[in-house]
Amino acid sequence: MAPLIEGFTQIFNTQTILLVAMGEVLGIILGSLPGLTATMGIALMLPISFKLSQAAGMALLLGVYCGAVSGASIPAILLGIPGNPNAIATVYDGLAMTQKGLAGQALGGAVIASFLGGIGSLILLMTFSPLIARFTLLFGPAERACLALVGLTIIASVSSRNLSRGILMGAFGLTLSLLGTDPFSSSLRIPFPRLFAKTPLSSGINLIPALIGLFGISQALLDLERIKEGMIAPKQVKMERFFPSLGKIVRMWRIILESIGIGTMIGAIPGTGASIAVFLSYERAKKVTRRSKKLNQLGSGCLEGVVAPEVANNAVTGGALIPALSLGIPGDSSTAVLLSALLIKGVVPGYQLFSQNLYLVYAIFFALFLSNVFMLTFQYFGVKWFPRVLSVPIAVLVPVILVLSMIGSYAIQGRAILAATFDMGVALILGVIGYFLKKGDYPIAPIVLGIILGGMFEENFRRAVKLAEGNYLVFFTKPISLAFIVLSLISVVLPLLRQRRRGA
Amino acid sequence: MEKKSLFLLIFTLVFILSNYAEGQKEEVWPDPEKSITVVVPYSAGGGTDLIFRPLVEEMKKFTEANIIVSNISGAGSSKGTNEVLNLPADGYTLLASGTHTVSATLQGLTDGYKELEGIAGLNWDPFIVAVLKEKPWQNMQDLVSAAKKNPGTISLGNAGMGGATGVASVGMNLAFGGVFNVTPFNGGKDLRVNVLGGHCDVGIFSQSEILANQDKLKPLVILYNERSRLKDLNGVPTLKEAGFENLDVPGGSFRSISVKKGTPEHIKDKLIEIVRQAYNSQTYQNFMKENGLILAYYEGKELDEYFKKIEQAYITIMREAGLLR
């Protein structure tokens, strides 16, 4: 009982509460700017946390973490540009809702969803942490390679109408993910290796500038065209009812619970991350809504399509803390920085944390709860103001987006001027490519999936085979990986069969 | 919103431009208006990052200029190293160098230490070979004889071929006649999760990693000629004590601070002074003690000489691993 009370008093004092609130605001601002990620926000606050007590420092960082994850949905919904990878899957239905004039509702729904996801995963973290940590250890290279395979089958569902175009784009993304140094031998896999060996190209294409280019810059270029055609009237936004009714949320119970589950589990598996969780939960929600009569179909601009990924990405926060606290192995890059705040203070997460500093574990739980409450509070007021961005004339908005996109891709590299300049180039080139692809009605999301999952699949596939001493059948001998293979086969074959039956 | 975004825009632009500001040749160094950046070529929260953050906090006390850490990770450690080499040799950019710099240079991914000059060597973080408690091997002898019986069946994981654990694992495998299945993982965390999950048999870890999973991992041997300074790990035998004499495995990561070649001598001297004071501070000494780091303090030219020694030890192993370019 004593550690519980100690943890409580460490968090619920004026100073720490203010710190969490401050972190939250900062996180939301950073998250909503394209290119600035939760990890970066936490790293920025790290030196400040050194000067605080362990619990207060963690609380501040957790505030930034939660804020940045939820803030990313704001530009995703309003402008179709995800603030960071957490909001990639929110773009579809979020933007479609905005185009219908429902921006306020989409934002409100996203806020409620983020809160539910955060609290849901916190409950899982508090209750099933040891169990989930043990489960994540079952994920070796073979299992992770097959999980990536499941992720790749989502290409089929985000390809809208044309599957072959989707696969083509997925392959393009995979190709981009192969650029850089070989994960096993460090040999270069880039064009003209002699020339580019010592340039940033040797570390490959980063996800963030690719996202900024494919979503942000390409959209801005399309909008420029609209200005030329004279379509410059700002979109109308209905400034009413921001938050979904309780009944509507209750009707989505299955989507919400499944997304909490997916987010927490994916978050808990090290080496995966929110960007995979949001796609998986979107995919699941699509299947759920297809069978339901009461829910709207995803993709058409409905609240369900915003809620699913937004629940999932905030559920990742609690999930990523599971292996971080119990094993000392962070679930994602943000929690890695969180942990370093503890390590520098001489607290080793994992075994020692529970045996010697149990109060800190409770303090972290309380801080995470507080962060979620603040997130809800600040976003509640914010939601009424954010849609006003849309009343800015497009002729002003587009250049601002373009500049912010370039700044975002530059800033993500911190002080690395070479790499930052390179990333601006990547964003620009992929922006132009994305513009032509969008004009030609090629889907963009499969490229992103390819970039995210390509590296994960390749590395783990090779590692699994190496660990199995060259046996390629290893994927069929492990129950989890076999299950994933079957799952991905079903999700590819079933829609094809259904299509054929309908056609016949 | 228009105003707000405009404000943000200006703010960010000013922020970025200020990074560019290099200024003219100054009389006084450091200019208190400027920041000194310590480039850590690994991501925030990683093992290397952790060694430098507390040092930087101490360094701040001994200079008027602000000092910040910038994590530039990628392509082993060569991305961050190349960034430092690209910036002017004015003493405002330092590199968190070490064994990783040697291995990245030997791999041809950067001009690395050939274009760097030493400020100060800091410490060694010795590696420990460990297995999951449930595994049948009780000590190093058990493990090696099991590996010799069925060569290639026991996997020996490292945190990435190009890094210090990679070199240690190849070196160890070389020393035992290539009986292990050396497998690289995607960083220390990935390796640890795979060893804990039983997917990889043996892992090479830093001391803090073993401490984090004390309840699940069984340390077999410390790859250093002395036992650990840490109470919890003091029982782990050295290779020699475990019955393997005359084996030379470069097992640990060395960390140091370097600047680009051509940095004026008087600036280097000042930097050395700042680092020396920070290094000798009670806080940093305690930090090293608590983390079981082995003191290895060298200044300026001494560090350059020390790098050559590390290169000698690395070169054969890198060639064997097919990493030498």
Side-chain angles (χ1 to χ4, degrees), chain A residues 74-252:
Chain A
I74 301 167
I77 289 168
L78 294 178
L79 306 167
I81 305 164
N84 56 50
N86 299 304
I88 324 175
T90 315
V91 170
Y92 311 107
D93 284 80
L95 187 63
M97 280 181 83
T98 298
Q99 280 160 353
K100 284 191 207 166
L102 301 174
Q105 277 194 38
L107 286 171
V111 171
I112 300 287
S114 298
F115 181 73
L116 291 174
I119 296 295
S121 75
L122 175 62
I123 293 170
L124 287 177
L125 167 69
M126 291 193 296
T127 46
F128 295 113
S129 193
L131 204 71
I132 296 174
R134 212 176 309 153
F135 177 73
T136 58
L137 286 181
L138 296 175
F139 277 74
E143 287 81 3
R144 278 192 239 174
C146 293
L147 178 64
L149 193 67
V150 174
L152 284 171
T153 60
I154 298 175
I155 287 178
S157 79
V158 292
S159 301
S160 51
R161 295 165 298 281
N162 199 325
L163 184 60
S164 50
R165 285 185 175 193
I167 292 173
L168 186 68
M169 291 300 102
F172 177 52
L174 282 174
T175 315
L176 289 180
S177 80
L178 294 178
L179 287 172
T181 38
D182 183 286
F184 275 48
S185 67
S186 298
S187 43
L188 288 166
R189 297 195 300 207
I190 50 174
F192 311 109
R194 260 171 210 288
L195 211 59
F196 294 124
K198 283 155 194 168
T199 67
L201 186 61
S202 64
S203 51
I205 304 279
N206 282 335
L207 177 62
I208 310 265
L211 275 184
I212 291 174
L214 289 170
F215 286 102
I217 294 179
S218 70
Q219 191 60 42
L221 292 176
L222 281 175
D223 284 343
L224 279 180
E225 218 161 67
R226 275 177 42 212
I227 300 177
K228 214 172 145 197
E229 285 160 11
M231 297 158 65
I232 46 170
K235 288 171 203 137
Q236 287 302 308
V237 184
K238 285 181 205 150
M239 299 299 272
E240 54 198 44
R241 293 211 53 193
F242 290 104
F243 295 95
S245 67
L246 193 65
K248 196 154 189 189
I249 294 173
V250 172
R251 248 174 290 150
M252 288 191 267

Side-chain angles (χ1 to χ4, degrees), chain B residues 14-276:
Chain B
V14 168
F15 177 75
I16 285 173
L17 286 175
S18 66
N19 290 357
Y20 262 124
E22 279 161 20
Q24 302 78 26
K25 284 211 172 83
E26 275 129 61
E27 300 293 307
V28 201
W29 190 99
D31 181 350
E33 302 278 301
K34 284 188 180 179
S35 300
I36 299 173
T37 306
V38 178
V39 172
V40 172
Y42 287 101
S43 52
T48 306
D49 185 55
L50 215 64
I51 307 277
F52 283 95
R53 293 233 175 217
L55 184 75
V56 169
E57 286 304 307
E58 288 306 310
M59 282 165 67
K60 281 182 194 169
K61 294 177 187 162
F62 301 104
T63 171
E64 286 152 47
N66 185 33
I67 309 183
I68 51 169
V69 172
S70 175
N71 299 90
I72 306 176
S73 62
S77 64
S78 46
K79 189 167 164 185
T81 310
N82 284 329
E83 290 289 345
V84 173
L85 296 185
N86 179 52
L87 291 166
D90 57 4
Y92 286 104
T93 319
L94 317 182
L95 176 71
S97 56
T99 33
H100 51 267
T101 318
V102 177
S103 91
T105 313
L106 291 175
Q107 287 174 67
L109 297 170
T110 168
D111 292 326
Y113 61 84
K114 291 172 197 154
E115 290 300 318
L116 292 169
E117 284 172 341
I119 294 296
L122 304 172
N123 44 49
W124 275 94
D125 193 1
F127 293 146
I128 289 184
V129 179
V131 296
L132 201 63
K133 276 204 172 132
E134 287 93 76
K135 297 280 179 187
W137 316 295
Q138 292 311 317
N139 51 47
M140 198 63 190
Q141 292 284 358
D142 277 4
L143 179 70
V144 173
S145 51
K148 284 194 169 150
K149 204 177 271 172
N150 294 304
T153 54
I154 295 177
S155 46
L156 170 62
N158 61 51
M161 266 313 183
T165 58
V167 173
S169 64
V170 174
M172 194 172 127
N173 197 30
L174 214 70
F176 293 115
V179 288
F180 291 103
N181 179 9
V182 176
T183 309
F185 287 82
N186 188 5
K189 283 144 202 154
D190 189 31
L191 167 65
R192 193 141 49 103
V193 98
N194 275 288
V195 170
L196 289 175
H199 308 286
C200 177
D201 297 315
V202 190
I204 295 187
F205 300 102
S206 68
Q207 299 177 96
S208 67
E209 290 178 308
I210 303 271
L211 287 184
N213 304 98
Q214 239 175 319
D215 52 335
K216 299 194 175 69
L217 290 176
K218 178 162 56 182
L220 297 182
V221 69
I222 185 163
L223 296 178
Y224 197 72
N225 50 23
E226 276 167 50
R227 287 199 176 198
S228 172
R229 295 166 79 196
L230 293 172
K231 199 170 76 223
D232 286 339
L233 296 173
N234 194 252
V236 183
T238 63
L239 263 181
K240 199 172 172 185
E241 288 169 336
F244 300 97
E245 289 200 41
N246 311 323
L247 280 188
D248 197 24
V249 178
S253 29
F254 172 69
R255 270 92 177 209
S256 54
I257 291 190
S258 302
V259 288
K260 189 181 176 181
K261 206 175 238 177
T263 304
E265 285 301 321
H266 72 280
I267 294 179
K268 272 168 61 183
D269 290 342
K270 278 209 173 136
L271 277 170
I272 289 173
E273 204 183 305
I274 295 170
V275 177
R276 187 200 299 135

Side-chain angles (χ1 to χ4, degrees), chain A residues 264-303:
Chain A
T264 312
M265 290 315 297
I266 296 291
I269 300 172
T272 49
S275 42
I276 299 173
V278 291
F279 274 119
L280 284 176
S281 70
Y282 187 82
E283 169 80 1
R284 272 304 302 165
K286 206 168 195 178
K287 295 218 166 93
V288 172
T289 52
R290 198 177 287 145
R291 269 182 251 126
S292 165
K293 288 202 179 74
K294 285 187 215 136
L295 298 169
N296 301 311
Q297 293 294 311
L298 257 63
S300 57
C302 64
L303 200 59

